[in-house]
Amino acid sequence: MSEKPLSTQSAHSNGATKRAVNREQMNAWIEQLVTRRSVLAGATTLSLAGLAGLVLGACDGEGDVTTMPDGTTQPLMPEFNFEVVSLNMDDKVTLPPGHSAQVLYAYGDPFKSDLAEYSNMGTEPAWQWDYRAGDNHDGMRFFGLKEIADDDYELDPNASDLGILCVNHEKITQALMHDPEGRRSGDRNDVDEVRKEQRAHGVSCVVIQRDEATGQFTIVKDSKYNRRITAYTEMHLHGPAAGSDLLKTKYSQNGLAGRGTLYNCANGYTPWGTYLTCEENYDFYFRDDRTVEDGSKRDPEEIGYANYLAGIGVRFPDGRYGWATLAGHMDESDDEFSRFNITPMAGKSAVEDYRNEGNQFGYIVEIDPLDPQAAPRKRTALGRFSHEGAWPAEVGDGKPVVFYMGDDDQLQFIYKFVSAKAYAANNPGSSPLDIGDTYMDDGTLYVARFDADPMTGRQTGVWIPLRPDNPDLKAASEDMQSPFYGLFGGLASILVHTRAAAFVVGATPMDRPEWGAVNPRNGEVYFTLTNNSDRRGFDDADLDARTDGDQGTRDEVTEFLANREFGEVPSNPRGPNSHGHIIRFRENDNDPTSTGFVWDIFVFGSDAGGPTNFSALTAGNEFTDCDGLWFDSAGLLWIQTDDDISQPDGNHNQMLAATPGAVGDGGLDAGNVDESLRRFLVGPIGCEITGIDMTPDRRSMFVNIQHPDERSSGGHWPADNRDATRAAAAGRARSATIVITRDDGGPLGTA
Ligand code: FEO
Ligand code: CA
Ligand code: CA
Ligand code: CA
């Protein structure tokens, strides 16, 4: 078996790049897979490359269990209880017959009764967004509640009629949030407009209650638990990097506090009842005048490779929304705009400017939904990168707590964190966030390497620890010729520069890891890999002649740093990867703390008629750009998509349900694909479908419709209409949480 994944077996020599694996080697490896699989499972109709991700195995599909390759059995999935939804381009939410959906919480909706309903004209002042829904709803979780006194609650994991819904507001749709007749989006002279944009980011925690007669949820206005977390909210930094020089700013001279959370994409939760929000593209927000003085392409050498890799560099010359343009404005208070300019100021030290403000973002952030006064805690032990989300393995008394995480950028990685301390159901902390200190501030961050043996086709993986005693990190850090010289001497610096560390230790660059999900039936872990235009096919005539996308500059740097090629590899076998796929793995001994695993690919996204439809998708389940991913308590896997222009035939984004089987069964059952993957929902114009949860009784499903009409293509959903399945005739589109129910009041997805 090879020590390194196929993608890392070669290095630069004399500045010339060699391919990691040539086409002949790849073909030989795929041929072996096909031959073996043909014998075992009779699969002969798929193209060769289509089987590149499949591990050998057999699935009998008979009776009420599936026999796994190791002889163990897994229960078969229950059947879907809904009819397939056809793709469409309607400006509404489409559901199977017998299902309904209401709009529960749309952008601008107030949770205080003394605020008027949202005008949907953008005329309300910024301060009101401390009490109104933020924009671009993303990951979310329902926390069931038991009322112990009037507006006084405790968590009840079995409660379905009352709960706190925590919702991420990932970003903003600038064109739809300001007064179109007055101030204009993009006008950076208006202080209140910028403040509104900052306050429309973050998280909502709102109490919601279900009416038993109608089955409809409403917001419980004025509850003391209702809360907005925004770009202004006080944050506490925790874990090994907290207090380090790298996190000190003019505002936080001890490096222990910060302000706000940004680009809160997917989410997570903990076994002790807290919500995790995750900071994804935080490098969108900062301005760095060092490298963009004339607006020209940034020079990675000037900015420093290591910093560039770590995402401290800016992604947009002035920051995506130009917030730092208002630095020094006469109405600015507490450097609310200046802090987004990370240029070191002449004659100043790091505690006199905001050069380190970028280092305060890119973390997993823990929120106690039952303590609205508590500052959220940024957990630096879980690394700093474009955190999509954090998904816990099933927790066991006396076992460490484990979280799986993805870094959503092209050619970035999959990680896990293993706590140093074993979990005790009777936790030692005095509050949920203090319990979080116990399990999330001390532990080991690992990054994944996906291997495949070219001789046997066996697909294994290794978790590589990112610690100062890692010999690769030590060597890079002590080598004065290395761009990483001095970077990995201590854990704080390793964590702040997680991406650089992951590259150095030879982790496998993936096709944009988005959501993860842990199968409640068998503990296996799934990740969506949404797409990757920088994954190059082995047939590319000139590897260097590709066109760079908007992230291309970064990828040139990462490629240089890693001294390696990013061609097709078994775990990411399509280059470019236009449609995405879902990879999954089972930890050795089914132990989440294992340092090894086996993996396969569950499904490849594609048009049904596409040339790389390796999973034999049909009209009822063709999809591309998988992103959201979630297991319900019955073991159905829900898949959400993000890219409406590339959904088959330009249709809108969608959500599907799958019956997943297990690693080793060959992935989606290509001979029976419609029974194992089925479309459940299609969204309105211009939206992304993301964020999902259900009440414990499975009778109400929460789904987020993010940025409808983002491209200004004539969408109106839902405007002021509360029936999510009806198109609105006029009005501006708004992101919203919807609640889906069955008209017969039964459980969703499967009986
Ligand atoms: Fe915010 Fe990776 O999607
Ligand atoms: Ca996402
Ligand atoms: Ca996405
Ligand atoms: Ca998105």
Side-chain angles (χ1 to χ4, degrees):
M1 188 183 356
S2 62
E3 276 302 300
K4 293 276 188 182
L6 296 173
S7 58
T8 62
Q9 286 179 342
S10 74
H12 285 272
S13 67
N14 302 324
T17 303
K18 293 178 184 168
R19 295 181 185 184
V21 180
N22 65 31
R23 178 47 107 185
E24 292 69 38
Q25 284 175 289
M26 191 75 169
N27 275 344
W29 180 81
I30 292 170
E31 290 274 10
Q32 283 184 333
L33 271 186
V34 171
T35 308
R36 291 284 301 278
R37 185 172 167 80
S38 300
V39 172
L40 286 169
T44 55
T45 55
L46 302 183
S47 77
L48 296 185
L51 293 170
L54 304 184
V55 75
L56 302 177
C59 170
D60 58 22
E62 299 293 328
D64 55 1
V65 296
T66 298
T67 304
M68 305 309 298
D70 63 1
T72 61
T73 56
Q74 295 282 342
L76 275 181
M77 290 290 109
E79 291 179 2
F80 299 126
N81 67 356
F82 62 91
E83 292 175 27
V84 65
V85 171
S86 297
L87 280 173
N88 66 64
M89 292 159 76
D90 297 342
D91 191 23
K92 62 182 187 180
V93 171
T94 309
L95 294 167
H99 293 69
S100 301
Q102 57 160 146
V103 174
L104 173 67
Y105 188 58
Y107 172 71
D109 281 354
F111 53 72
K112 264 168 69 91
S113 56
D114 57 0
L115 289 182
E117 290 302 312
Y118 183 51
S119 68
N120 205 6
M121 293 301 292
T123 47
E124 291 84 352
W127 66 264
Q128 292 192 0
W129 267 261
D130 287 347
Y131 312 101
R132 292 185 182 273
D135 206 355
N136 278 250
H137 305 37
D138 207 313
M140 73 180 145
R141 184 166 176 85
F142 175 85
F143 292 88
L145 295 177
K146 184 194 305 178
E147 186 160 23
I148 49 182
D150 187 32
D151 199 28
D152 204 358
Y153 306 117
E154 62 184 27
L155 293 182
D156 178 356
N158 300 313
S160 290
D161 294 333
L162 181 71
I164 294 184
L165 193 66
C166 293
V167 184
N168 287 349
H169 300 291
E170 185 186 42
K171 56 195 174 77
I172 54 175
T173 304
Q174 220 175 11
L176 297 177
M177 65 190 306
H178 300 301
D179 179 357
E181 304 300 327
R183 304 185 298 262
R184 283 207 315 275
S185 165
D187 178 354
R188 299 294 76 166
N189 295 316
D190 192 301
V191 167
D192 203 61
E193 195 172 272
V194 173
R195 286 177 179 153
K196 188 186 293 186
E197 293 178 11
Q198 294 174 330
R199 283 187 166 85
H201 281 74
V203 180
S204 289
C205 297
V206 288
V207 177
I208 59 173
Q209 187 152 32
R210 185 164 68 184
D211 181 312
E212 264 313 294
T214 64
Q216 303 261 299
F217 271 99
T218 48
I219 306 289
V220 178
K221 287 188 178 178
D222 305 318
S223 168
K224 68 186 181 198
Y225 297 96
N226 292 343
R227 177 189 198 186
R228 278 300 320 283
I229 291 163
T230 74
Y232 285 85
T233 304
E234 176 81 4
M235 298 277 150
H236 291 166
L237 293 154
H238 275 251
S244 77
D245 286 347
L246 291 164
L247 269 59
K248 290 176 180 169
T249 68
K250 181 180 170 189
Y251 174 83
S252 179
Q253 299 192 3
N254 60 10
L256 296 174
R259 281 181 284 183
T261 184
L262 291 167
Y263 223 99
N264 303 94
C265 193
N267 66 302
Y269 64 95
T270 68
W272 48 92
T274 57
Y275 182 71
L276 300 177
T277 190
C278 306
E279 299 181 321
E280 194 189 16
N281 298 316
Y282 56 92
D283 56 347
F284 281 12
Y285 295 88
F286 299 102
R287 170 181 174 141
D288 186 341
D289 294 326
R290 282 172 295 187
T291 55
V292 292
E293 283 161 5
D294 61 358
S296 62
K297 185 175 173 180
R298 290 161 287 166
D299 180 349
E301 295 213 45
E302 184 183 336
I303 202 169
Y305 289 113
N307 279 356
Y308 201 98
L309 246 189
I312 298 169
V314 295
R315 194 84 75 99
F316 297 88
D318 295 326
R320 189 180 204 177
Y321 304 119
W323 293 343
T325 309
L326 288 183
H329 189 281
M330 59 182 294
D331 292 333
E332 181 181 25
S333 102
D334 294 329
D335 297 332
E336 62 190 316
F337 312 123
S338 305
R339 70 185 176 108
F340 292 100
N341 188 331
I342 60 170
T343 313
M345 299 298 163
K348 305 276 193 192
S349 72
V351 293
E352 295 171 302
D353 62 25
Y354 290 96
R355 70 189 65 178
N356 288 332
E357 184 76 359
N359 288 349
Q360 293 214 343
F361 293 84
Y363 297 108
I364 301 294
V365 185
E366 187 176 10
I367 295 167
D368 181 356
L370 280 183
D371 187 354
Q373 272 68 53
R377 298 186 185 175
K378 295 197 175 188
R379 301 296 183 189
T380 67
L382 280 70
R384 174 170 167 271
F385 45 86
S386 274
H387 272 291
E388 179 78 15
W391 295 276
E394 189 175 346
V395 71
D397 214 19
K399 306 268 190 183
V401 180
V402 175
F403 292 96
Y404 297 99
M405 301 174 286
D407 181 354
D408 179 11
D409 215 332
Q410 298 191 119
L411 305 169
Q412 294 297 336
F413 307 103
I414 290 173
Y415 298 85
K416 78 172 174 183
F417 173 80
V418 180
S419 70
K421 295 188 181 65
Y423 184 72
N426 182 15
N427 280 293
S430 59
S431 75
L433 291 174
D434 289 344
I435 296 170
D437 293 353
T438 302
Y439 301 114
M440 298 184 80
D441 286 347
D442 186 12
T444 302
L445 182 65
Y446 295 87
V447 65
R449 195 184 77 207
F450 290 80
D451 298 336
D453 188 324
M455 299 307 294
T456 65
R458 183 165 165 74
Q459 297 178 166
T460 58
V462 178
W463 291 109
I464 307 168
L466 301 179
R467 292 188 298 235
D469 62 357
N470 182 306
D472 290 333
L473 294 181
K474 265 177 95 75
S477 199
E478 290 168 4
D479 176 2
M480 292 182 69
Q481 305 305 314
S482 160
F484 306 106
Y485 176 63
L487 205 62
F488 306 131
L491 186 55
S493 185
I494 290 173
L495 292 168
V496 170
H497 304 100
T498 303
R499 283 184 167 180
F503 271 97
V504 166
V505 302
T508 304
M510 309 298 284
D511 290 348
R512 294 188 54 199
E514 296 253 26
W515 288 52
V518 179
N519 188 339
R521 292 193 169 217
N522 59 14
E524 292 181 356
V525 185
Y526 288 62
F527 268 90
T528 47
L529 300 167
T530 193
N531 58 48
N532 186 358
S533 58
D534 264 1
R535 176 78 58 189
R536 287 166 290 156
F538 281 90
D539 292 330
D540 289 0
D542 180 358
L543 291 178
D544 297 321
R546 72 190 192 283
T547 342
D548 283 320
D550 61 347
Q551 296 170 10
T553 307
R554 164 179 297 213
D555 297 330
E556 286 167 14
V557 177
T558 56
E559 189 173 332
F560 176 88
L561 275 170
N563 276 354
R564 69 184 68 157
E565 286 294 330
F566 296 118
E568 296 158 339
V569 292
S571 54
N572 300 272
R574 290 188 294 190
N577 184 356
S578 308
H579 301 305
H581 59 284
I582 299 178
I583 200 166
R584 62 182 174 178
F585 51 88
R586 177 169 65 234
E587 301 273 25
N588 291 347
D589 304 319
N590 282 325
D591 179 353
T593 68
S594 288
T595 54
F597 55 88
V598 293
W599 62 270
D600 71 1
I601 290 175
F602 173 59
V603 62
F604 291 91
S606 176
D607 299 29
T612 59
N613 184 13
F614 301 148
S615 298
L617 302 183
T618 67
N621 53 28
E622 55 183 342
F623 73 91
T624 80
D625 301 275
C626 44
D627 186 339
L629 193 68
W630 179 72
F631 274 102
D632 69 25
S633 57
L636 287 182
L637 179 65
W638 297 84
I639 301 165
Q640 302 174 315
T641 70
D642 171 19
D643 194 341
D644 60 311
I645 16 191
S646 75
Q647 290 307 305
D649 298 321
N651 281 272
H652 297 158
N653 275 305
Q654 54 176 309
M655 184 166 83
L656 312 98
T659 57
V663 171
D665 66 8
L668 198 64
D669 184 353
N672 199 18
V673 67
D674 292 322
E675 297 305 313
S676 49
L677 181 65
R678 185 174 294 188
R679 188 177 304 111
F680 177 80
L681 177 154
V682 177
I685 290 175
C687 79
E688 165 184 347
I689 309 297
T690 184
I692 178 170
D693 204 354
M694 274 187 201
T695 50
D697 64 9
R698 309 186 67 247
R699 291 172 51 218
S700 303
M701 173 191 273
F702 306 95
V703 169
N704 283 325
I705 309 297
Q706 188 189 70
H707 61 62
D709 198 33
E710 184 177 48
R711 297 184 185 88
S712 303
S713 20
H716 301 290
W717 187 95
D720 303 314
N721 167 28
R722 293 281 152 177
D723 178 354
T725 65
R726 192 160 57 82
R732 296 203 290 189
R734 295 195 275 163
S735 294
T737 302
I738 64 170
V739 191
I740 300 169
T741 48
R742 283 180 63 92
D743 298 341
D744 64 8
L748 289 145
T750 180

